[in-house]
Amino acid sequence: MRLLAILLFSLLSTTAGLARPIGALGDSAGLPADTSRTQPPLALPAPAAHANLNDTLPHIHPRDANGRITDYTVAPGVTWHYDKPKPFRWALNIPRDLGQFPGYAFRKENKGTLMGLVVSSVGLWVADQAIVDWSQDVGRQLGLTPKSTQRTLFYVPFRIGSANLPFEFNVPDNLNSTFYYLGDGWTHLAVASSFWIYGGIKKDNRALRTSSELGEAIFSTGLVVQTLKRLTGRQSPYVATKDRGEWHLFPSYNRYQSFVPNYDAFPTGHLATAMATVTVIAENYPEYHFIRPVGYGLMGLLGYAMLNNGVHWASDYPIGIALGYGFAKIAVRNGRTRVEETSADPAAPGTGWVRPPKRRPWYRQGHVAPYTYGPFTGASWSLKW
């Protein structure tokens, strides 16, 4: 529980104080009237002094006419614009993300990465049994109980027909279970909710968009992970009937549901979800360099816990982590717009920055085009992912 509290505190502190409304970059008029009373104007260093500016750059996040923070300067010449997301609109973006993923993942420049994923997965598969045995030996020496046990804080029974779908909230009651809980859905829901609450209170579009992108990336990742689990049917270590477990390819729905641990090891969903969460936050807050080291460190504890309790093999990890990373990058890419400089001439009128036009949702960007094919004429509708 102590580690979980530290996790939530560190993730919440990531958002605390991220928005400080000061002057607009390049605005010769200085600070807006509503902020000039609290903080004096800040001047950016000259371009020649940008060598080590990532840690010293004043993070300039001005408020617009509606009092919202929409533009964020995170590095010299790098400003991102975030529109305010509508609640749960991210769910409509999941089909778009699934459609974009093949083109994003299988680009020519990713050839080396894809080869690395294959080689690392195969190499880990060869050593899977030895890795799990070693991890559990270390756990016994450290006194880490491998069994994942949780205490139920509240339980609300709920049924739909013959399906039993209770609403319950559990917390871990031993250290290994605490590590394992880092990948639990409740943990990531708490992180996403904290960004949403903070963004709503502070009128901070970046925090709101981060929350929205977390939901989008996690659910997109989950759909692909669950599909792969139901296609590969790999045994988890704690139910394995032979070294490295058996693979029951394409198990039927009823067979899968009859004993899920016998079929759902590959790939890992917990690490995929954790990677998506860390990547979305780190991509949206690049000026905070501790996010990735802290996030990856917690992911390491989670990965060890799943080896110790026999839920996953090490070779389940590379593909799951890659899926979480890819869908997070897609969600962030579609959720913000780079604000470009119009001119390097200091005498040019205006602030020197162009606010990007408001984009229509992807499902409203289809267009109709006429066609003629022999004696046939008509119109076609196309949608670009």
Side-chain angles (χ1 to χ4, degrees):
M1 284 300 295
R2 185 174 301 171
L3 181 62
L4 178 61
I6 294 172
L7 167 67
L8 295 179
F9 176 80
S10 65
L11 289 170
L12 288 172
S13 0
T14 302
T15 59
L18 290 181
R20 293 187 278 278
I22 44 185
L25 181 62
D27 188 350
S28 58
L31 295 170
D34 61 337
T35 60
S36 58
R37 294 190 300 272
T38 60
Q39 191 159 350
L42 292 173
L44 288 178
H50 285 168
N52 297 311
L53 213 50
N54 283 340
D55 296 318
T56 61
L57 178 78
H59 305 312
I60 297 180
H61 311 322
R63 293 186 181 271
D64 62 13
N66 298 319
R68 304 203 64 85
I69 310 175
T70 60
D71 296 339
Y72 301 80
T73 299
V74 297
V78 180
T79 297
W80 294 104
H81 173 81
Y82 293 83
D83 289 324
K84 180 184 177 183
K86 294 184 178 180
F88 301 105
R89 176 64 63 86
W90 55 264
L92 299 178
N93 295 333
I94 292 176
R96 175 203 63 192
D97 294 358
L98 294 173
Q100 289 182 352
F101 185 80
Y104 175 82
F106 298 104
R107 295 175 297 175
K108 184 177 180 180
E109 55 266 35
N110 286 343
K111 182 169 60 175
T113 301
L114 295 173
M115 183 62 66
L117 288 173
V118 173
V119 171
S120 61
S121 295
V122 172
L124 289 171
W125 174 78
V126 171
D128 263 338
Q129 192 63 52
I131 293 173
V132 167
D133 293 343
W134 174 82
S135 299
Q136 294 177 347
D137 286 342
V138 171
R140 282 190 290 269
Q141 294 173 16
L142 296 177
L144 289 175
T145 303
K147 187 177 181 181
S148 291
T149 54
Q150 299 181 0
R151 181 183 299 111
T152 300
L153 294 187
F154 62 83
Y155 179 93
V156 179
F158 183 72
R159 299 183 67 89
I160 299 179
S162 60
N164 185 27
L165 303 170
F167 183 75
E168 59 182 322
F169 181 69
N170 302 321
V171 294
D173 63 0
N174 64 61
L175 187 56
N176 195 82
S177 295
T178 300
F179 295 158
Y180 182 61
Y181 201 75
L182 295 175
D184 192 88
W186 281 107
T187 302
H188 300 282
L189 176 62
V191 173
S193 299
S194 67
F195 276 100
W196 184 263
I197 293 170
Y198 174 83
I201 294 173
K202 296 294 185 179
K203 295 185 177 181
D204 185 326
N205 283 6
R206 179 166 66 166
L208 290 174
R209 183 64 69 173
T210 297
S211 175
S212 178
E213 290 166 4
L214 285 171
E216 181 180 330
I218 289 170
F219 274 82
S220 298
T221 302
L223 287 173
V224 176
V225 166
Q226 289 300 319
T227 299
L228 291 176
K229 286 177 178 290
R230 293 169 185 269
L231 293 177
T232 56
R234 189 184 190 186
Q235 287 180 327
S236 294
Y238 78 99
V239 298
T241 54
K242 68 176 186 179
D243 284 356
R244 298 182 304 207
E246 293 190 41
W247 299 74
H248 307 98
L249 300 180
F250 311 113
S252 67
Y253 176 82
N254 290 334
R255 186 182 177 192
Y256 183 96
Q257 293 297 124
S258 65
F259 188 43
V260 174
N262 203 42
Y263 307 100
D264 80 331
F266 181 85
T268 167
H270 275 55
L271 276 179
T273 301
M275 187 63 177
T277 298
V278 172
T279 303
V280 166
I281 297 173
E283 288 288 320
N284 282 326
Y285 295 89
E287 67 271 36
Y288 294 89
H289 304 294
F290 67 87
I291 296 174
R292 279 193 168 89
V294 170
Y296 294 159
L298 295 174
M299 286 175 60
L301 295 176
L302 169 60
Y304 170 76
M306 294 191 295
L307 295 173
N308 189 36
N309 64 18
V311 171
H312 277 294
W313 309 93
S315 60
D316 299 332
Y317 294 173
I319 299 299
I321 291 172
L323 288 171
Y325 179 81
F327 279 109
K329 293 284 283 188
I330 290 172
V332 172
R333 181 185 66 183
N334 290 320
R336 66 186 183 185
T337 307
R338 178 78 175 264
V339 182
E340 302 290 350
E341 281 191 85
T342 56
S343 174
D345 182 4
T351 64
W353 296 91
V354 176
R355 184 180 299 277
K358 188 173 182 180
R359 295 182 298 177
R360 291 185 299 166
W362 67 272
Y363 46 84
R364 294 182 181 176
Q365 294 182 17
H367 63 277
V368 178
Y371 71 88
T372 300
Y373 186 76
F376 303 102
T377 59
S380 63
W381 184 82
S382 61
L383 177 65
K384 184 178 181 180
W385 290 108

